[in-house]
Amino acid sequence: MTKPLRAALYARVSTSNKGQDVGLQLDELRLVAAQRGWIVVDAYVDAGVSGTKDRRPELDRMVEDAKAGRFDLVAVFKLDRLARSLRHLLTLSEDLTSWGVGLVSLRDAGIDTTSASGRLLLQVLGAFSEFEAAIIRERVIAGVRRAQAQGKHCGRPKVDLEIRPAVAMLQQGRGLREVASIMGVSRTTLRRRLQEAGEWPVAPMRAAD
């Protein structure tokens, strides 16, 4: 006979009022666990914690227990209880899979990584996520190039820096790091501004005849 699966139940509500009740999630999770013959190892509940936070006390505890092999699957009421971003969901799912732990969502049809079709569905979601990220990157790059072609500065604003005092100190033999510290900028920024002004490398000041 196949051994019954050990299940961890995860539930979350962002507020403890406004009609949200974590008990409703747990009741349905326990009912399904009994119907499917799962052994409930533990229930992990984050009450009053936003799903936008990747780190949550009970979620972190559940992840550590998953690493330790305490259970075979994680069951959630809905995926948005576990993660509010696709990136976070996919990262969690990949981690659980690497530890031999499945993921089941009661209210999201087809999300069951203990089955081949469920694993395929998550892989499709991951592919769409990567595709969306690639499109966003391409749009950003195209926008930057278009702005640069129009003579617009892209990136961080230039530091307003008076070059002459820096040149004078460098000519006196002070090091670039020391001068940059005195001027309140990074060594890289100072060198770049000197290069733009045609003052780099700085020749030492010649002694008077």
Side-chain angles (χ1 to χ4, degrees):
M1 292 181 62
T2 304
K3 290 180 61 176
L5 295 174
R6 299 167 300 160
L9 311 181
Y10 180 78
R12 180 190 62 80
V13 290
S14 55
T15 59
S16 55
N17 49 24
K18 298 183 180 179
Q20 296 190 50
D21 184 1
V22 75
L24 297 176
Q25 297 176 40
L26 291 173
D27 287 346
E28 186 162 342
L29 286 166
R30 289 193 174 102
L31 177 62
V32 171
Q35 291 171 344
R36 299 189 185 184
W38 299 339
I39 298 174
V40 176
V41 172
D42 206 344
Y44 303 82
V45 179
D46 280 311
V49 182
S50 171
T52 59
K53 295 181 178 179
D54 289 358
R55 301 295 304 272
R56 302 168 222 147
E58 286 294 274
L59 178 61
D60 291 348
R61 186 170 73 88
M62 185 186 75
V63 167
E64 290 302 315
D65 286 349
K67 284 183 187 178
R70 283 198 62 209
F71 43 78
D72 305 305
L73 67 89
V74 172
V76 296
F77 181 71
K78 286 189 68 177
L79 288 177
D80 66 2
R81 299 301 87 195
L82 185 64
R84 294 297 293 273
S85 73
L86 183 55
R87 175 197 57 78
H88 187 207
L89 172 62
L90 292 172
T91 298
L92 280 173
S93 175
E94 288 170 2
D95 286 343
L96 291 172
T97 299
S98 70
W99 302 323
V101 178
L103 173 62
V104 177
S105 173
L106 304 189
R107 294 297 182 93
D108 296 287
I111 301 299
D112 180 352
T113 62
T114 63
S115 68
S117 60
R119 289 192 294 272
L120 175 61
L121 181 55
L122 268 183
Q123 288 170 1
V124 170
L125 289 175
F128 274 113
S129 178
E130 291 177 5
F131 178 66
E132 182 183 32
I135 290 176
I136 291 172
R137 281 196 301 272
E138 289 176 1
R139 287 176 178 171
V140 170
I141 292 171
V144 168
R145 288 175 177 169
R146 185 165 55 250
Q148 289 173 336
Q150 296 171 354
K152 297 178 181 178
H153 174 71
C154 298
R156 295 180 180 178
K158 285 190 175 181
V159 176
D160 187 15
L161 185 63
E162 177 59 53
I163 295 297
R164 285 175 296 178
V167 172
M169 285 187 283
L170 289 166
Q171 287 178 332
Q172 292 168 5
R174 293 177 182 264
L176 185 64
R177 185 189 299 274
E178 180 185 3
V179 174
S181 178
I182 294 171
M183 301 292 291
V185 297
S186 71
R187 184 173 56 175
T188 301
T189 296
L190 177 57
R191 182 170 54 243
R192 182 171 61 248
R193 295 301 301 277
L194 289 167
Q195 289 171 337
E196 291 171 355
E199 296 285 357
W200 184 262
V202 177
M205 185 180 296
R206 295 179 59 184
D209 294 337

